[in-house]
Amino acid sequence: VGSVMLIIAFSFLTMMLVVQQNVILRAANTSDSLTAPEQETMGLIMSTVSGVQLGMDFTFDIFIGIGMILFALAMNSHPRFGKIVGISGVLASSYLLISNMWSFPLTPHEAGVVDPAAIALTWWLFAIIKSEMAKKKEKQHSNDLPLD
């Protein structure tokens, strides 16, 4: 279930990035030829459209937060990860979810809280490094075993 949540999350991230970049590029291509009143109208349109892509970002954060919690819970009892990775993942993803829901419709940054994305990314890096270290240790241990 955690994997499915993360797949959905990254689908929303992809959609958000495509919309965001398309809007920015189109606005940049038209803004030079606009009069002052048209530029003011364009600013209002951009503000409204920005809300749409922020809604997509919020949806991404919800799905990645739920996926992270489920992954962290599974890691909690896994010998390669253990309780430190599992509990820290639950805490990081809980903060991601709570800070986004509390600050919505603003971003957590706009609401003045510590960026949950940085905390979540740090946890993912920690989990990946821990996994790689465990794989190297397992490989080294299997190489040390005598052959029959």
Side-chain angles (χ1 to χ4, degrees):
V1 176
S3 299
V4 172
M5 292 295 180
L6 294 174
I7 290 168
I8 293 169
F10 282 98
S11 298
F12 276 105
L13 177 65
T14 303
M15 182 172 55
M16 179 203 68
L17 292 173
V18 169
V19 169
Q20 188 180 58
Q21 292 306 306
N22 192 20
V23 168
I24 290 169
L25 290 172
R26 287 180 182 269
N29 288 338
T30 59
S31 63
D32 294 340
S33 62
L34 300 177
T35 64
E38 290 171 333
Q39 286 182 351
E40 186 176 329
T41 302
M42 178 61 91
L44 293 171
I45 292 169
M46 290 298 293
S47 176
T48 301
V49 172
S50 181
V52 172
Q53 66 91 18
L54 286 173
M56 292 176 197
D57 181 48
F58 176 75
T59 306
F60 162 72
D61 290 335
I62 297 303
F63 279 98
I64 198 164
I66 294 169
M68 280 178 65
I69 285 175
L70 295 172
F71 256 79
L73 289 172
M75 289 176 173
N76 197 40
S77 60
H78 193 282
R80 187 179 284 177
F81 299 101
K83 291 192 183 302
I84 293 173
V85 176
I87 292 170
S88 63
V90 169
L91 292 173
S93 53
S94 295
Y95 178 72
L96 175 79
L97 286 167
I98 291 167
S99 63
N100 274 284
M101 287 187 220
W102 176 79
S103 64
F104 187 78
L106 301 174
T107 65
H109 175 76
E110 291 170 329
V113 298
V114 175
D115 185 10
I119 293 169
L121 180 59
T122 301
W123 178 78
W124 279 111
L125 290 173
F126 174 59
I128 290 167
I129 290 168
K130 179 85 169 148
S131 176
E132 290 301 313
M133 288 171 50
K135 278 198 273 185
K136 282 184 182 180
K137 188 175 180 180
E138 289 169 7
K139 185 176 181 182
Q140 181 182 19
H141 178 69
S142 68
N143 288 341
D144 292 342
L145 295 175
L147 297 173
D148 290 339

